[in-house]
Amino acid sequence: MSRGLKGELQVPGDKSISHRALILGAMAEGHTFIDGISEGEDVRSTWRCLQSLRVRITAEAGRVTVKGSGWRGLITPKRVLDAGNSGTTMRLMMGVLAGSDLYAKLDGDESLRRRPMARVAEPLRRMGADIDLKGGKTAPVRIRGAALKGIDFASPVASAQVKSAVLLAGLLATGETSVSEPVLSRDHTERLLPMFGAKCRRDGLKFTVQGALNLAGARLFVPGDISSAAFWLIAATLAPGSELKLLNVGVNPTRTGVLDALKRMGGRVEVLPRDLPGEPSADLLVRSAKLAATDISAGEVPGLIDEVPILALAASQAEGVSRFKGLSELRHKESDRLAAIAALLKALGGSAKVEGDDLIVKGPSKLKGAKVSAGGDHRLAMTALIAGLVSEGAVKVPDADCVEISYPSFLDDLKRLGGS
Ligand code: S3P
């Protein structure tokens, strides 16, 4: 049991913004300078794919420079583009490659090869893309660049990856491309586009971009990743005697569902806005609190999609029954996260079950130590390790190395803050 988490912590740069900064930098002409980029393996995957397409990317003293020569400068890669474990790399790159003058094959690890790619290939094909998926559904993905035309696409899912793939392809298409979605998903692509000189506009849930315009390099600042900060928000809430300040965390309203949910549960987080360039950011000051159960509605899910595992751990320590509704999208993440979260909580002595697409967690449970596999899923590994701060015995995660995907310094931070 932890004695409480104290002090200050800077979490890694936002993964979603980092991917997009590299990709748009590669599509633009001239230099793009990026401060605070994520150093996780997922962003490395995007970085390596772009290098294989002859984009020059260098890093010096924490600043990354992308030398773009415009989307016409991308060339047929000599080898297969490896997206590793990263759904964002594969899906966003599909949009870029579909409209470039080249041939490319995109592949990924075992987990990525199981994830659905038709949701991106279908709208891209409507734009004129030539894309071949394994069994019509998954990676490896083969793309022969083609002349694209703009479309008006109503996405059936609130997925920022699908939306972004179509908008990136829209940059290379003739005419305008619009994407609307049932609920607003993270809007980092839309926020970055005008910074590169793209012509675009928002109308409610619909976003439109003008194609066939040249983009120009930009100067970007990436705040800390709220999805990484979430682990410490919950850890400090659950460990008695905590007072922890998380520095410069991105608080884009499409990402702050975890703060709303935690507040409803009785969490004590002060949001101290920072006046820094780039997306909205704040220091988050969190103190321990006693939690009560809450319901998460299906409409809230896109705003906290990656935080469901750690929020489920919070629910296991809260008084009452929490219901997370409409989690079907979680089945398509780095693992079937819906089944995996319930299994993890149960293995630790918690009470959790899946009913249809809902996750039901009853608390408070006394958690016990256990040896649990994360199945290679970084967010499950971090959830299990945070559970170890409040469990009665040690929680061991043999495949904890997978935290490298989004948060390479997680184990060091855990050692430093763990307090036991
Ligand atoms: C992401 C979008 C979300 C999220 C993922 C990152 C992005 O996925 O779960 O970790 O950067 O666009 P979906 O778009 O599939 O919901």
Side-chain angles (χ1 to χ4, degrees):
M1 179 72 76
S2 163
R3 283 197 307 266
L5 282 70
K6 294 207 166 65
E8 294 185 343
L9 179 68
Q10 174 67 62
V11 294
D14 188 277
K15 181 158 84 71
S16 291
I17 300 176
S18 298
H19 285 292
R20 289 159 170 81
L22 288 174
I23 292 173
L24 285 166
M27 295 172 81
E29 278 167 25
H31 291 90
T32 288
F33 302 103
I34 311 167
D35 286 340
I37 200 165
S38 159
E39 289 175 3
E41 261 311 301
D42 267 12
V43 171
R44 291 275 162 190
S45 292
T46 293
W47 181 313
R48 284 191 287 261
C49 286
L50 292 170
Q51 282 180 323
S52 300
L53 296 163
R54 210 179 52 191
V55 179
R56 289 229 325 261
I57 309 175
T58 52
E60 210 183 302
R63 166 170 292 187
V64 168
T65 304
V66 184
K67 188 169 179 303
S69 37
W71 48 277
R72 292 178 195 86
L74 304 180
I75 58 152
T76 292
K78 291 205 177 73
R79 47 186 171 268
V80 174
L81 300 176
D82 184 3
N85 190 247
S86 174
T88 309
T89 304
M90 184 166 282
R91 295 193 175 117
L92 269 54
M93 289 307 297
M94 284 171 72
V96 177
L97 298 170
S100 304
D101 185 19
L102 49 75
Y103 171 80
K105 182 174 166 189
L106 266 165
D107 207 351
D109 69 7
E110 236 179 89
S111 147
L112 189 54
R113 278 179 164 209
R114 283 194 296 267
R115 298 176 66 182
M117 295 300 146
R119 50 176 57 195
V120 177
E122 275 163 17
L124 293 178
R125 286 189 191 118
R126 280 182 46 202
M127 300 175 80
D130 182 356
I131 300 183
D132 188 51
L133 302 179
K134 183 167 176 238
K137 292 185 174 159
T138 53
V141 183
R142 290 180 177 78
I143 302 181
R144 192 169 295 285
L148 304 182
K149 58 180 188 316
I151 55 166
D152 188 351
F153 175 57
S155 177
V157 279
S159 160
Q161 293 178 359
V162 173
K163 170 174 65 178
S164 300
V166 176
L167 291 175
L168 290 172
L171 288 171
L172 314 180
T174 53
E176 289 189 341
T177 295
S178 301
V179 183
S180 58
E181 46 187 345
V183 176
L184 185 63
S185 62
R186 64 193 65 191
D187 64 354
H188 306 299
T189 302
E190 298 98 297
R191 285 173 184 257
L192 284 171
L193 281 170
M195 301 180 72
F196 285 88
K199 269 180 93 176
C200 42
R201 61 181 187 275
R202 173 169 289 290
D203 181 13
L205 291 171
K206 183 169 179 163
F207 192 83
T208 302
V209 65
Q210 170 72 50
L213 284 183
N214 290 340
L215 302 182
R219 193 171 289 267
L220 306 173
F221 299 86
V222 183
D225 197 326
I226 192 164
S227 297
S228 299
F231 294 100
W232 305 115
L233 289 174
I234 308 294
T237 298
L238 298 182
S242 297
E243 183 168 324
L244 180 66
K245 197 185 229 182
L246 302 163
L247 304 174
N248 184 24
V249 180
V251 287
N252 172 325
T254 61
R255 297 284 301 279
T256 48
V258 62
L259 296 179
D260 303 333
L262 194 54
K263 189 169 178 194
R264 283 207 304 275
M265 297 173 84
R268 296 194 297 156
V269 182
E270 267 182 68
V271 179
L272 310 163
R274 295 272 301 252
D275 189 17
L276 292 170
E279 289 213 7
S281 69
D283 294 341
L284 303 178
L285 178 62
V286 52
R287 299 185 173 90
S288 345
K290 279 254 165 306
L291 297 184
T294 190
D295 283 346
I296 307 285
S297 70
E300 275 183 276
V301 170
L304 47 74
I305 182 81
D306 294 336
E307 290 69 71
V308 174
I310 193 65
L311 274 171
L313 174 68
S316 81
Q317 301 307 296
E319 187 74 45
V321 177
S322 296
R323 184 181 274 265
F324 296 70
K325 297 177 193 163
L327 296 181
S328 56
E329 275 298 304
L330 272 196
R331 298 187 199 276
H332 307 301
K333 295 295 172 190
E334 288 82 331
S335 64
D336 174 350
R337 272 195 192 147
L338 182 46
I341 296 164
L344 171 66
L345 288 180
K346 279 197 277 192
L348 297 173
S351 159
K353 64 178 175 185
V354 176
E355 263 181 26
D357 289 337
D358 295 355
L359 173 71
I360 293 133
V361 182
K362 190 165 168 245
S365 296
K366 258 202 166 60
L367 299 185
K368 57 181 194 316
K371 188 169 167 186
V372 285
S373 163
D377 184 329
H378 55 130
R379 300 206 194 277
L380 284 174
M382 291 187 274
T383 299
L385 291 165
I386 295 294
L389 296 177
V390 293
S391 64
E392 266 170 7
V395 174
K396 296 239 181 308
V397 184
D399 54 344
D401 283 0
C402 62
V403 301
E404 294 277 339
I405 293 295
S406 59
Y407 195 157
S409 57
F410 181 81
L411 297 174
D412 293 338
D413 288 348
L414 183 65
K415 221 180 260 168
R416 189 161 67 78
L417 291 174
S420 52

mmCIF file with all atom_site columns, all heavy atoms in Angstrom, residues 225-236:
data_model
loop_
_atom_site.group_PDB
_atom_site.id
_atom_site.type_symbol
_atom_site.label_atom_id
_atom_site.label_alt_id
_atom_site.label_comp_id
_atom_site.label_asym_id
_atom_site.label_entity_id
_atom_site.label_seq_id
_atom_site.pdbx_PDB_ins_code
_atom_site.Cartn_x
_atom_site.Cartn_y
_atom_site.Cartn_z
_atom_site.occupancy
_atom_site.B_iso_or_equiv
_atom_site.pdbx_formal_charge
_atom_site.auth_seq_id
_atom_site.auth_comp_id
_atom_site.auth_asym_id
_atom_site.auth_atom_id
_atom_site.pdbx_PDB_model_num
ATOM 1  N N   . ASP A 1 225 ? 0.466  14.421 -22.142 1.00 0.00 ? 225 ASP A N   1
ATOM 2  C CA  . ASP A 1 225 ? -0.661 13.587 -22.587 1.00 0.00 ? 225 ASP A CA  1
ATOM 3  C C   . ASP A 1 225 ? -1.605 13.305 -21.421 1.00 0.00 ? 225 ASP A C   1
ATOM 4  O O   . ASP A 1 225 ? -1.227 12.632 -20.455 1.00 0.00 ? 225 ASP A O   1
ATOM 5  C CB  . ASP A 1 225 ? -0.096 12.275 -23.148 1.00 0.00 ? 225 ASP A CB  1
ATOM 6  C CG  . ASP A 1 225 ? -1.106 11.522 -23.988 1.00 0.00 ? 225 ASP A CG  1
ATOM 7  O OD1 . ASP A 1 225 ? -2.312 11.593 -23.666 1.00 0.00 ? 225 ASP A OD1 1
ATOM 8  O OD2 . ASP A 1 225 ? -0.701 10.870 -24.963 1.00 0.00 ? 225 ASP A OD2 1
ATOM 9  N N   . ILE A 1 226 ? -2.843 13.773 -21.536 1.00 0.00 ? 226 ILE A N   1
ATOM 10 C CA  . ILE A 1 226 ? -3.804 13.555 -20.445 1.00 0.00 ? 226 ILE A CA  1
ATOM 11 C C   . ILE A 1 226 ? -4.089 12.062 -20.263 1.00 0.00 ? 226 ILE A C   1
ATOM 12 O O   . ILE A 1 226 ? -4.414 11.612 -19.163 1.00 0.00 ? 226 ILE A O   1
ATOM 13 C CB  . ILE A 1 226 ? -5.106 14.372 -20.656 1.00 0.00 ? 226 ILE A CB  1
ATOM 14 C CG1 . ILE A 1 226 ? -5.955 14.348 -19.378 1.00 0.00 ? 226 ILE A CG1 1
ATOM 15 C CG2 . ILE A 1 226 ? -5.902 13.887 -21.859 1.00 0.00 ? 226 ILE A CG2 1
ATOM 16 C CD1 . ILE A 1 226 ? -7.038 15.397 -19.307 1.00 0.00 ? 226 ILE A CD1 1
ATOM 17 N N   . SER A 1 227 ? -3.913 11.274 -21.326 1.00 0.00 ? 227 SER A N   1
ATOM 18 C CA  . SER A 1 227 ? -4.135 9.834  -21.201 1.00 0.00 ? 227 SER A CA  1
ATOM 19 C C   . SER A 1 227 ? -3.049 9.185  -20.344 1.00 0.00 ? 227 SER A C   1
ATOM 20 O O   . SER A 1 227 ? -3.286 8.163  -19.710 1.00 0.00 ? 227 SER A O   1
ATOM 21 C CB  . SER A 1 227 ? -4.180 9.175  -22.585 1.00 0.00 ? 227 SER A CB  1
ATOM 22 O OG  . SER A 1 227 ? -5.267 9.683  -23.314 1.00 0.00 ? 227 SER A OG  1
ATOM 23 N N   . SER A 1 228 ? -1.856 9.765  -20.324 1.00 0.00 ? 228 SER A N   1
ATOM 24 C CA  . SER A 1 228 ? -0.793 9.288  -19.424 1.00 0.00 ? 228 SER A CA  1
ATOM 25 C C   . SER A 1 228 ? -0.993 9.871  -18.026 1.00 0.00 ? 228 SER A C   1
ATOM 26 O O   . SER A 1 228 ? -0.807 9.175  -17.022 1.00 0.00 ? 228 SER A O   1
ATOM 27 C CB  . SER A 1 228 ? 0.580  9.696  -19.949 1.00 0.00 ? 228 SER A CB  1
ATOM 28 O OG  . SER A 1 228 ? 0.805  9.126  -21.221 1.00 0.00 ? 228 SER A OG  1
ATOM 29 N N   . ALA A 1 229 ? -1.382 11.149 -17.979 1.00 0.00 ? 229 ALA A N   1
ATOM 30 C CA  . ALA A 1 229 ? -1.624 11.802 -16.681 1.00 0.00 ? 229 ALA A CA  1
ATOM 31 C C   . ALA A 1 229 ? -2.723 11.074 -15.905 1.00 0.00 ? 229 ALA A C   1
ATOM 32 O O   . ALA A 1 229 ? -2.701 11.021 -14.670 1.00 0.00 ? 229 ALA A O   1
ATOM 33 C CB  . ALA A 1 229 ? -2.020 13.260 -16.909 1.00 0.00 ? 229 ALA A CB  1
ATOM 34 N N   . ALA A 1 230 ? -3.671 10.486 -16.636 1.00 0.00 ? 230 ALA A N   1
ATOM 35 C CA  . ALA A 1 230 ? -4.826 9.839  -15.993 1.00 0.00 ? 230 ALA A CA  1
ATOM 36 C C   . ALA A 1 230 ? -4.393 8.766  -14.987 1.00 0.00 ? 230 ALA A C   1
ATOM 37 O O   . ALA A 1 230 ? -5.029 8.597  -13.942 1.00 0.00 ? 230 ALA A O   1
ATOM 38 C CB  . ALA A 1 230 ? -5.733 9.220  -17.058 1.00 0.00 ? 230 ALA A CB  1
ATOM 39 N N   . PHE A 1 231 ? -3.294 8.068  -15.294 1.00 0.00 ? 231 PHE A N   1
ATOM 40 C CA  . PHE A 1 231 ? -2.852 7.022  -14.362 1.00 0.00 ? 231 PHE A CA  1
ATOM 41 C C   . PHE A 1 231 ? -2.485 7.619  -13.009 1.00 0.00 ? 231 PHE A C   1
ATOM 42 O O   . PHE A 1 231 ? -2.794 7.065  -11.955 1.00 0.00 ? 231 PHE A O   1
ATOM 43 C CB  . PHE A 1 231 ? -1.672 6.235  -14.956 1.00 0.00 ? 231 PHE A CB  1
ATOM 44 C CG  . PHE A 1 231 ? -2.093 5.462  -16.169 1.00 0.00 ? 231 PHE A CG  1
ATOM 45 C CD1 . PHE A 1 231 ? -1.825 5.937  -17.443 1.00 0.00 ? 231 PHE A CD1 1
ATOM 46 C CD2 . PHE A 1 231 ? -2.823 4.296  -16.033 1.00 0.00 ? 231 PHE A CD2 1
ATOM 47 C CE1 . PHE A 1 231 ? -2.262 5.249  -18.570 1.00 0.00 ? 231 PHE A CE1 1
ATOM 48 C CE2 . PHE A 1 231 ? -3.260 3.597  -17.142 1.00 0.00 ? 231 PHE A CE2 1
ATOM 49 C CZ  . PHE A 1 231 ? -2.975 4.078  -18.420 1.00 0.00 ? 231 PHE A CZ  1
ATOM 50 N N   . TRP A 1 232 ? -1.844 8.787  -13.048 1.00 0.00 ? 232 TRP A N   1
ATOM 51 C CA  . TRP A 1 232 ? -1.434 9.431  -11.789 1.00 0.00 ? 232 TRP A CA  1
ATOM 52 C C   . TRP A 1 232 ? -2.592 10.123 -11.118 1.00 0.00 ? 232 TRP A C   1
ATOM 53 O O   . TRP A 1 232 ? -2.625 10.232 -9.887  1.00 0.00 ? 232 TRP A O   1
ATOM 54 C CB  . TRP A 1 232 ? -0.271 10.397 -12.058 1.00 0.00 ? 232 TRP A CB  1
ATOM 55 C CG  . TRP A 1 232 ? 0.858  9.695  -12.731 1.00 0.00 ? 232 TRP A CG  1
ATOM 56 C CD1 . TRP A 1 232 ? 1.336  9.907  -13.979 1.00 0.00 ? 232 TRP A CD1 1
ATOM 57 C CD2 . TRP A 1 232 ? 1.617  8.593  -12.195 1.00 0.00 ? 232 TRP A CD2 1
ATOM 58 N NE1 . TRP A 1 232 ? 2.339  9.029  -14.268 1.00 0.00 ? 232 TRP A NE1 1
ATOM 59 C CE2 . TRP A 1 232 ? 2.533  8.207  -13.185 1.00 0.00 ? 232 TRP A CE2 1
ATOM 60 C CE3 . TRP A 1 232 ? 1.599  7.903  -10.987 1.00 0.00 ? 232 TRP A CE3 1
ATOM 61 C CZ2 . TRP A 1 232 ? 3.437  7.164  -13.009 1.00 0.00 ? 232 TRP A CZ2 1
ATOM 62 C CZ3 . TRP A 1 232 ? 2.492  6.862  -10.802 1.00 0.00 ? 232 TRP A CZ3 1
ATOM 63 C CH2 . TRP A 1 232 ? 3.400  6.506  -11.801 1.00 0.00 ? 232 TRP A CH2 1
ATOM 64 N N   . LEU A 1 233 ? -3.549 10.631 -11.904 1.00 0.00 ? 233 LEU A N   1
ATOM 65 C CA  . LEU A 1 233 ? -4.737 11.250 -11.302 1.00 0.00 ? 233 LEU A CA  1
ATOM 66 C C   . LEU A 1 233 ? -5.449 10.230 -10.420 1.00 0.00 ? 233 LEU A C   1
ATOM 67 O O   . LEU A 1 233 ? -5.852 10.524 -9.295  1.00 0.00 ? 233 LEU A O   1
ATOM 68 C CB  . LEU A 1 233 ? -5.713 11.733 -12.390 1.00 0.00 ? 233 LEU A CB  1
ATOM 69 C CG  . LEU A 1 233 ? -5.305 12.941 -13.226 1.00 0.00 ? 233 LEU A CG  1
ATOM 70 C CD1 . LEU A 1 233 ? -6.311 13.172 -14.344 1.00 0.00 ? 233 LEU A CD1 1
ATOM 71 C CD2 . LEU A 1 233 ? -5.193 14.183 -12.340 1.00 0.00 ? 233 LEU A CD2 1
ATOM 72 N N   . ILE A 1 234 ? -5.587 9.012  -10.944 1.00 0.00 ? 234 ILE A N   1
ATOM 73 C CA  . ILE A 1 234 ? -6.304 7.980  -10.181 1.00 0.00 ? 234 ILE A CA  1
ATOM 74 C C   . ILE A 1 234 ? -5.412 7.457  -9.056  1.00 0.00 ? 234 ILE A C   1
ATOM 75 O O   . ILE A 1 234 ? -5.874 7.258  -7.930  1.00 0.00 ? 234 ILE A O   1
ATOM 76 C CB  . ILE A 1 234 ? -6.741 6.816  -11.109 1.00 0.00 ? 234 ILE A CB  1
ATOM 77 C CG1 . ILE A 1 234 ? -7.510 7.329  -12.333 1.00 0.00 ? 234 ILE A CG1 1
ATOM 78 C CG2 . ILE A 1 234 ? -7.540 5.763  -10.322 1.00 0.00 ? 234 ILE A CG2 1
ATOM 79 C CD1 . ILE A 1 234 ? -8.825 7.968  -12.106 1.00 0.00 ? 234 ILE A CD1 1
ATOM 80 N N   . ALA A 1 235 ? -4.123 7.259  -9.354  1.00 0.00 ? 235 ALA A N   1
ATOM 81 C CA  . ALA A 1 235 ? -3.212 6.738  -8.324  1.00 0.00 ? 235 ALA A CA  1
ATOM 82 C C   . ALA A 1 235 ? -3.209 7.659  -7.105  1.00 0.00 ? 235 ALA A C   1
ATOM 83 O O   . ALA A 1 235 ? -3.339 7.215  -5.958  1.00 0.00 ? 235 ALA A O   1
ATOM 84 C CB  . ALA A 1 235 ? -1.801 6.611  -8.887  1.00 0.00 ? 235 ALA A CB  1
ATOM 85 N N   . ALA A 1 236 ? -3.083 8.970  -7.357  1.00 0.00 ? 236 ALA A N   1
ATOM 86 C CA  . ALA A 1 236 ? -3.006 9.922  -6.247  1.00 0.00 ? 236 ALA A CA  1
ATOM 87 C C   . ALA A 1 236 ? -4.355 10.048 -5.539  1.00 0.00 ? 236 ALA A C   1
ATOM 88 O O   . ALA A 1 236 ? -4.420 10.287 -4.329  1.00 0.00 ? 236 ALA A O   1
ATOM 89 C CB  . ALA A 1 236 ? -2.541 11.285 -6.760  1.00 0.00 ? 236 ALA A CB  1
#
